[in-house]
């Protein structure tokens, strides 16, 4: 138990600040729809398939190199266009461009998303966040084990009663055990999204052979001759009752246009129902319907909605907000108390070492 406590304390002291950053950025993103205060942000999504085609035209005219456009939905009533250079635009459902930015730092929700998922360090940062997820899972489990010995002294506090090492340790221990169920869920879902190979291994008993459609190559490019209204109307026919969520322009010439829809049974906000469209003829080339997928795919689809409180309503969002706050406090105070204790004890240690040599 002493070794477990030592590992818990040292590892927490080393990565606590990073976990606090993950907790702070994630908590802010939970309430993203509340602080994007742009005209039309609170409008209900009412655009038809043909009107979505018009929105694509506006996005293309706004700037060159359109990469994707996420259509207005329940969370935000604006279309979000993202361009190849990292810039973007918010477009109202009536076609008005309400905001335009030149790079990923132009909107707080974009760099907060990058901070939370990649620590602003690209793929390396993404790997680090995955490792932090594993460590968070370990912290929640080992912390609960260590708390059990002192359970009779439990007293729930959001903040330490005093800024002493003993008070911080007690508050850390008791707050951590209350938040641990939520932190475990956040850690598991986040880690499995970063490391899908782990998810594949764990879910292999209920997985079936992947039957993704084979997409043709050598198609005509998406250009000024593409009829975007026809593209969206034809794509909608594949899932008549589903909501169109995102259109992705092919990165390479000869590839089809990809459109994501969300069917009623899907938890993921942008859905995982795909339609691929030929840019020149607007004909449907292939579809991928999650309703026909295996149970493993259905489980994987739940990771992000649970992790980001995209389901469960206000109650689940508040629960994850508490978990995010707990992660911030636990991470910050763990690092602060660990390093101040180490620095504060250094002179005494050096003095004892000198006395021993006399």
């Amino acid at each position: 138990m002493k070794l477990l406590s030592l590992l818990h304390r040292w590892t927490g002291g080393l990565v606590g600040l990073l976990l606090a950053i993950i907790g702070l950025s994630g908590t802010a993103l939970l309430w993203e729809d509340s602080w994007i205060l742009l005209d039309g942000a609170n409008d209900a999504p009412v655009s038809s398939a043909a009107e979505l085609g018009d929105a694509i035209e506006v996005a293309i005219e706004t700037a060159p190199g359109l990469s994707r456009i996420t259509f207005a939905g329940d969370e935000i009533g604006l279309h979000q266009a993202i361009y190849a250079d990292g810039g973007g635009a918010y477009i109202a459902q009536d076609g008005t461009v309400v905001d335009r930015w030149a790079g990923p730092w132009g909107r707080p929700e974009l760099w907060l998303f990058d901070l939370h998922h990649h620590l602003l360090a690209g793929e390396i940062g993404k790997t680090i966040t995955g490792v932090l997820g594993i460590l968070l899972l370990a912290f929640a489990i080992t912390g609960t084990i260590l708390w059990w010995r002192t359970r009779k002294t439990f007293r729930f506090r959001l903040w330490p009663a005093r800024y002493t090492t003993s008070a911080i340790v007690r508050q850390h221990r008791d707050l951590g055990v209350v938040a641990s169920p939520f932190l475990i869920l956040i850690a598991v879902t986040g880690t499995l999204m970063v490391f899908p190979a782990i998810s594949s291994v764990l879910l292999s008993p209920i997985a079936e052979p992947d039957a993704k459609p084979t997409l043709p190559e050598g198609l005509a490019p998406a250009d000024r001759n593409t009829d975007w209204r026809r593209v969206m109307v034809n794509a909608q026919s594949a899932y008549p009752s589903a909501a169109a969520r995102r259109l992705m322009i092919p990165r390479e010439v000869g590839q089809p246009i990809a459109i994501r829809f969300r069917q009623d049974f899907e938890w993921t906000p942008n859905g995982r129902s795909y339609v691929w469209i030929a840019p020149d003829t607007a004909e449907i080339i292939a579809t991928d319907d999650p309703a026909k997928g295996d149970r493993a795919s259905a489980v994987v689809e739940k990771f992000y909605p649970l992790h980001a409180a995209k389901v469960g309503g206000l109650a689940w969002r508040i629960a994850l907000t508490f978990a995010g706050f707990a992660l911030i406090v636990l991470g910050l105070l763990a690092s602060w108390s660990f390093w101040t204790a180490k620095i504060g004890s250094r002179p005494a240690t050096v003095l004892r070492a000198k006395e021993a040599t006399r």
Side-chain angles (χ1 to χ4, degrees):
M1 195 66 72
K2 185 176 181 180
L3 177 60
L4 186 64
S5 177
L6 187 67
L7 288 172
H8 186 96
R9 185 170 67 253
W10 271 85
T11 310
L14 293 173
V15 304
L17 182 59
L18 289 176
L19 287 173
I21 292 172
I22 295 294
L24 180 61
S25 56
T27 303
L29 290 171
L30 286 176
W31 300 92
E32 176 184 353
D33 57 339
S34 301
W35 48 260
I36 298 181
L37 304 176
L38 297 173
D39 292 340
N42 295 321
D43 291 350
V46 295
S47 301
S48 65
E51 290 171 327
L52 293 180
D54 293 339
I56 299 169
E57 292 279 5
V58 173
I60 292 173
E61 294 171 358
T62 300
L66 179 66
S67 176
R68 70 176 187 270
I69 179 169
T70 302
F71 301 116
D74 294 332
E75 294 185 347
I76 180 170
L78 299 170
H79 308 305
Q80 184 195 68
I82 299 296
Y83 300 92
D85 62 358
Y90 277 122
I91 302 169
Q93 294 181 69
D94 62 3
T96 304
V97 177
V98 297
D99 193 27
R100 176 82 173 90
W101 59 92
W105 291 96
R107 289 295 310 177
E109 63 271 20
L110 297 180
W111 63 260
L112 276 172
F113 183 90
D114 191 36
L115 176 64
H116 185 74
H117 290 77
H118 302 98
L119 292 173
L120 307 179
E123 287 302 311
I124 294 176
K126 182 179 179 180
T127 301
I128 294 174
T129 60
V131 173
L132 288 173
I134 296 173
L135 291 175
L136 177 58
L137 177 61
F139 286 140
I141 295 173
T142 58
T144 302
I145 294 172
L146 294 169
W147 169 85
W148 185 254
R149 299 176 302 170
T150 60
R151 62 189 183 279
K152 293 181 179 180
T153 63
F154 172 81
R155 186 173 181 181
F156 178 70
R157 282 193 178 96
L158 292 176
W159 199 257
R162 297 175 302 278
Y163 293 104
T164 61
T165 300
S166 60
I168 290 173
V169 169
R170 287 196 297 270
Q171 185 269 347
H172 179 100
R173 183 179 57 215
D174 294 338
L175 176 62
V177 76
V178 174
S180 60
F182 304 108
L183 296 178
I184 288 173
L185 183 141
I186 290 171
V188 169
T189 54
T191 301
L192 293 180
M193 286 190 288
V194 173
F195 300 129
I198 299 177
S199 175
S200 297
V201 172
L202 294 176
L203 298 176
S204 58
I206 60 173
E208 297 176 5
D210 194 1
K212 297 295 182 183
T214 301
L215 302 178
E217 297 181 354
L219 300 173
D223 55 22
R224 66 181 62 184
N225 296 318
T226 301
D227 187 340
W228 294 106
R229 273 197 163 213
R230 189 179 174 194
V231 164
M232 292 307 302
V233 170
N234 287 356
Q236 186 72 65
S237 67
Y239 304 105
S241 61
R245 295 301 305 126
R246 177 175 289 172
L247 178 139
M248 292 158 283
I249 304 294
R251 295 182 179 181
E252 300 178 5
V253 175
Q255 296 179 338
I257 300 165
I259 306 172
R260 291 173 64 170
F261 286 82
R262 182 189 184 190
Q263 300 188 67
D264 291 339
F265 64 86
E266 296 183 84
W267 290 16
T268 303
N270 290 327
R272 293 197 175 189
S273 303
Y274 280 83
V275 179
W276 287 273
I277 300 285
D280 55 343
T281 64
E283 295 178 354
I284 296 176
I285 292 175
T287 62
D288 185 12
D289 189 348
K292 302 176 182 178
D294 59 8
R295 286 181 294 169
S297 298
V299 172
V300 171
E301 190 261 339
K302 306 298 187 294
F303 291 160
Y304 174 69
L306 287 171
H307 185 87
K310 301 302 181 182
V311 292
L314 181 61
W316 185 240
R317 196 188 298 197
I318 292 174
L320 290 195
T321 300
F322 164 70
F325 170 80
L327 186 56
I328 296 167
V329 174
L330 294 171
L332 285 177
L333 293 183
S335 291
W336 182 80
S337 62
F338 176 83
W339 290 108
T340 53
K342 293 298 176 185
I343 294 172
S345 64
R346 185 176 179 183
T349 303
V350 173
L351 179 61
R352 286 195 299 267
K354 287 182 178 180
E355 291 175 349
T357 59
R358 289 178 181 175

